[in-house]
């Protein structure tokens, strides 16, 4: 949660992409002929990207690859075992949190939901361990945390984006309505010039 306020909040895809490239490049082409990857973004584009980087390999990128290809399923199990071990050994920088009753870590798990509700702070939200961008976490914050009333909310206008919208990826085609202040002051975005 704390890192959500950082100027450069963490987006997982670039890290996943970097690790896939690092892992694939660590093998020589005589050791590996076929590579199966669970998608990071659109499968066809990612497959083309990886195929261009590693032309001697047969690369298959698919959504839900862990369900379709046994080798990906086995890798997924290994990753989950490693994740569980990390979670069990996790040392919170914040005091007073116990991970032992947190469930599997997926937002659909009732134990995980209970842990989130039991460990949300009404002012600060969650410890940094929690992925704040989960809709489950957002709903719990909306329901259990103190509402912050900003000065400009008194003049609430339609089509003004919520604060959370600035932390989510927005498609380039989608234009976010700007606050009337910018229009009244005649201010224009540099990308619009």
């Amino acid at each position: 949660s704390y890192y959500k306020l950082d100027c450069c909040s963490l987006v997982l895809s670039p890290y996943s992409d970097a690790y896939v490239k690092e892992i694939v490049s660590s093998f020589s082409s005589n050791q590996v002929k076929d590579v199966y990857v669970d998608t990071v973004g659109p499968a066809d584009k990612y497959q083309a990207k990886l195929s261009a980087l590693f032309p001697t390999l047969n690369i298959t990128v698919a959504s839900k690859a862990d369900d379709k290809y046994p080798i990906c399923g086995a890798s997924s199990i290994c990753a989950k075992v490693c994740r569980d071990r990390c979670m069990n050994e996790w040392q919170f920088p914040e005091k007073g949190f116990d991970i032992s009753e947190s469930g599997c870590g997926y937002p659909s798990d009732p134990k995980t939901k209970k842990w989130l509700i039991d460990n949300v702070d009404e002012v600060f939200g969650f410890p940094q361990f929690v992925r704040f961008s989960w809709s489950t976490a957002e709903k719990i914050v909306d329901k259990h945390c103190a509402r912050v009333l900003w000065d400009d909310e008194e003049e609430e206008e339609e089509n003004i984006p919520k604060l959370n919208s600035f932390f989510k990826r927005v498609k380039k085609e989608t234009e976010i309505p700007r606050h009337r202040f910018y229009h009244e002051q005649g201010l224009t975005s540099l990308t619009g010039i």
Side-chain angles (χ1 to χ4, degrees):
S1 299
Y2 167 77
Y3 293 106
K4 198 65 172 171
L5 301 174
D6 196 0
C7 67
C8 309
S9 78
L10 178 73
V11 176
L12 200 54
S13 295
Y15 294 98
S16 298
D17 180 48
Y19 284 120
V20 166
K21 290 176 188 171
E22 184 178 331
I23 290 167
V24 173
S25 64
S26 70
F27 297 111
S28 73
S29 58
N30 6 345
Q31 291 176 313
V32 174
K33 299 288 182 209
D34 300 302
V35 175
Y36 297 89
V37 179
D38 203 342
T39 188
V40 176
D44 53 343
K45 289 181 182 178
Y46 195 51
Q47 182 167 325
K49 179 181 179 179
L50 290 175
S51 295
L53 286 170
F54 305 103
T56 60
L57 299 174
N58 298 320
I59 296 180
T60 302
V61 177
S63 178
K64 304 284 185 193
D66 55 341
D67 290 337
K68 296 175 184 173
Y69 305 103
I71 191 71
C72 289
S75 297
S76 180
I77 290 168
C78 291
K80 285 176 176 76
V81 168
C82 291
R83 185 210 55 206
D84 290 348
R85 187 174 298 144
C86 288
M87 285 179 63
N88 289 333
E89 295 171 6
W90 184 263
Q91 298 293 314
F92 284 94
E94 308 92 345
K95 300 295 179 223
F97 293 101
D98 178 17
I99 200 72
S100 65
E101 295 297 319
S102 66
C104 70
Y106 287 105
S108 61
D109 176 27
K111 279 181 113 176
T112 299
K113 285 182 184 177
K114 182 179 179 340
W115 188 91
L116 289 170
I117 291 168
D118 291 347
N119 289 281
V120 68
D121 181 274
E122 68 177 34
V123 174
F124 298 107
F126 296 108
Q128 63 179 311
F129 183 78
V130 175
R131 190 182 299 176
F132 194 83
S133 60
W134 278 344
S135 64
T136 304
E138 288 180 4
K139 289 173 187 171
I140 291 170
V141 166
D142 288 344
K143 185 175 180 181
H144 296 279
C145 291
R147 178 154 161 69
V148 176
L149 191 60
W150 302 95
D151 287 341
D152 65 344
E153 285 186 12
E154 294 171 9
E155 311 166 4
E156 188 103 9
E157 295 179 33
E158 289 186 26
N159 299 326
I160 300 297
K162 292 175 82 177
L163 183 61
N164 281 353
S165 71
F166 293 103
F167 298 114
K168 296 177 183 173
R169 289 190 182 261
V170 177
K171 293 182 180 175
K172 291 179 183 172
E173 310 87 47
T174 306
E175 185 177 328
I176 298 175
R178 304 191 76 208
H179 191 275
R180 69 179 180 163
F181 169 82
Y182 295 98
H183 297 290
E184 290 171 357
Q185 300 300 317
L187 299 173
T188 307
S189 172
L190 288 175
T191 59
I193 298 178

